[in-house]
Amino acid sequence: MAENPSGGPEQPPASPIAATPHDANERTFTIFVVAGEHSGDALGGKLMAELNERLPNRIRYLGVGGAEMASQGLISQYPLADVAVMGPINILKALPRIRKRVFHTVDAAIAADPDIVVIIDSPEFTHPIAKRIRKRRPDIPIIDYVSPSVWAWRPGRAKKMAPYVDHLLALLPFEPGAHKRLGGPDCTYVGHPLIERLGWLNALETDSLTTRLALDAEKPILVVLPGSRRSEVRVLMEPFGGTIRKLIEAGITPEVIIPAVEDLRDDIQQAATSWPVEPHIITGQDDKFRAFRLADAALAASGTVTLELAMAGTPMVVGYLVDGLAANLRFLVNVPSIVLANLVLDDPVFPEFIQENCTPENLSETLLPLFSDTPARQTQLAGLARIPEKMARTDGQAPSAVAADVVLRYAVNGRSETL
């Protein structure tokens, strides 16, 4: 994809199929969609909703996903929890089960005879599936929604993907240029789905959450996000709790809110029993963003949540711990930051502390200035104000709509779209 003068990717024209959804003789389509974790399920659900709007009752969905994709019509081959793991050690422990699920999924895809396969994120799981489908049915187009972080580590993956991925749908504006430079597949910057919720987020009321949690108006509010995976929660709850203890020693006793995915609520509640304050544990997307809007600051694990906090305008400090094997692979990482919001800004606005640096002392010392009108807080607020513009597509199209256009184009035209 060519780059425009400002350095970002050119925006492709809207697909003809979007304007004429009744093309192709009113044919029906089978789309095989594979997600490997909850964030992929959310993306898949939005994509499927957009596809259903274009071709109502004309798409059959099979594959692997969770509740969001099921709500749009997916028949999943097995529960998403079977494969939603992260980190080399956890993946190794679950490898026999994941390997079995990979072969199961490939067989199901071949049996479905789909018009197109869409894999969503989780490359350790989805890419082995894509490779095997391509080998057995080279005629089926394969779209990868969410680029692996080839710009961060193992850049050789980009070129290796080209034989089995026909097109990449990228969430971050710098990714098409990275794939072009590294010899990866054709790539379209669709934009991050968070941008679609900006208007809703700006209008979101917060009084209901304040009332339900009976928050003390005299106390600052700290949102704590220890991760969306059990392995993250297990290692981060202790240093995050220690950070709160240090804040209290320094004279800041915050109201603490932890937005959690439902299946980790009990784990978080149990781990928080040793904390110096009892956190308010909430679930649900709406309340999560209400908490972000209310918060004076956030203490967060690395991941998509840093972009969510940035879109909500919440100052943050990021801490992260990984298992021993992953820690030993850090020398392979080729980016100046693990915080996606920093990468989008190309500026280390939001402090991050990884591995041995992820200590209560470091985290609390960096959080403290964010609770008052300090230069550190003003610097973050200025960076946060730049995020929406950086994340938006220049043509104003919604990310899910652009993604749906590309998927339908390949579903209609097959791999001839590429070849």
Side-chain angles (χ1 to χ4, degrees):
M1 181 177 289
E3 293 189 355
N4 63 32
S6 66
E10 272 185 7
Q11 310 300 344
S15 166
I17 192 71
T20 56
H22 299 292
D23 282 358
N25 300 316
E26 298 289 332
R27 62 176 283 198
T28 59
F29 295 86
T30 296
I31 300 181
F32 200 89
V33 193
V34 182
E37 58 182 311
H38 293 290
S39 60
D41 178 51
L43 281 174
K46 287 182 172 63
L47 171 63
M48 291 165 63
E50 197 70 41
L51 292 168
N52 288 336
E53 186 173 322
R54 284 162 168 69
L55 301 175
N57 303 314
R58 289 173 55 194
I59 304 176
R60 178 177 70 132
Y61 298 103
L62 299 171
V64 180
E68 296 290 332
M69 291 164 65
S71 71
Q72 297 298 325
L74 178 77
I75 300 173
S76 188
Q77 304 301 304
Y78 44 81
L80 186 60
D82 280 10
V83 294
V85 295
M86 184 180 179
I89 288 178
N90 292 301
I91 290 172
L92 284 172
K93 288 178 180 177
L95 195 58
R97 182 179 73 246
I98 294 174
R99 181 177 173 82
K100 180 179 178 181
R101 290 310 195 190
V102 166
F103 286 108
H104 177 166
T105 306
V106 172
D107 288 342
I110 299 303
D113 189 25
D115 295 282
I116 190 169
V117 170
V118 181
I119 59 173
I120 306 176
D121 210 356
S122 304
E124 296 88 354
F125 172 64
T126 60
H127 283 230
I129 291 169
K131 289 177 187 177
R132 287 166 172 82
I133 292 173
R134 176 53 45 90
K135 185 175 182 179
R136 290 173 62 179
R137 285 289 305 274
D139 57 309
I140 298 174
I142 298 175
I143 302 292
D144 187 3
Y145 195 178
V146 184
S147 169
S149 51
V150 296
W151 35 267
W153 75 301
R154 291 171 56 203
R157 288 180 297 168
K159 192 171 185 178
K160 290 178 180 177
M161 289 166 57
Y164 63 88
V165 170
D166 295 301
H167 206 103
L168 272 168
L169 303 176
L171 304 191
L172 302 174
F174 54 80
E175 290 177 321
H179 278 280
K180 183 177 182 180
R181 184 176 69 254
L182 295 170
D186 288 342
C187 185
T188 296
Y189 172 55
V190 300
H192 203 288
L194 289 172
I195 204 71
E196 297 180 49
R197 307 193 74 189
L198 186 58
W200 168 84
L201 180 58
N202 289 336
L204 185 65
E205 58 81 25
T206 56
D207 290 345
S208 60
L209 185 62
T210 301
T211 301
R212 274 185 282 129
L213 300 183
L215 298 176
D216 186 340
E218 300 300 315
K219 293 181 177 180
I221 296 172
L222 174 68
V223 166
V224 177
L225 299 134
S228 60
R229 302 177 184 89
R230 190 161 279 107
S231 57
E232 293 171 324
V233 169
R234 187 177 62 249
V235 296
L236 287 173
M237 284 294 286
E238 183 177 348
F240 283 8
T243 301
I244 296 168
R245 188 171 287 105
K246 290 289 184 183
L247 290 176
I248 293 171
E249 291 172 1
I252 298 288
T253 302
E255 290 273 17
V256 178
I257 304 174
I258 303 181
V261 295
E262 186 61 51
D263 59 356
L264 292 180
R265 184 184 186 114
D266 290 345
D267 299 73
I268 290 171
Q269 195 158 27
Q270 178 61 35
T273 56
S274 62
W275 283 17
V277 299
E278 183 178 354
H280 304 278
I281 302 174
I282 61 174
T283 57
Q285 288 292 304
D286 287 8
D287 275 354
K288 177 176 78 171
F289 282 102
R290 287 188 178 99
F292 290 177
R293 294 291 302 277
L294 283 171
D296 294 283
L299 174 59
S302 176
T304 302
V305 74
T306 67
L307 287 180
E308 293 178 336
L309 288 165
M311 295 296 288
T314 312
M316 73 187 89
V317 173
V318 176
Y320 207 63
L321 291 168
V322 294
D323 59 51
L325 178 57
N328 290 332
L329 297 176
R330 280 182 296 167
F331 69 92
L332 297 174
V333 176
N334 191 36
V335 285
S337 173
I338 65 165
V339 180
L340 290 177
N342 283 340
L343 294 176
V344 168
L345 290 174
D346 193 23
D347 190 0
V349 171
F350 309 105
E352 59 193 283
F353 298 95
I354 309 165
Q355 287 308 100
E356 63 273 7
N357 294 320
C358 183
T359 64
E361 291 76 15
N362 286 339
L363 295 170
S364 60
E365 183 179 344
T366 315
L367 271 171
L368 274 170
L370 301 183
F371 290 106
S372 57
D373 189 17
T374 60
R377 182 177 178 85
Q378 289 304 318
T379 296
Q380 287 213 20
L381 292 176
L384 291 166
R386 293 157 51 203
I387 287 282
E389 181 181 0
K390 288 281 189 178
M391 293 289 289
R393 284 175 52 91
T394 58
D395 61 8
Q397 290 193 77
S400 297
V402 181
D405 288 347
V406 175
V407 169
L408 283 176
R409 198 167 70 232
Y410 278 86
V412 170
N413 298 323
R415 291 197 67 208
S416 62
E417 183 69 30
T418 303
L419 299 177

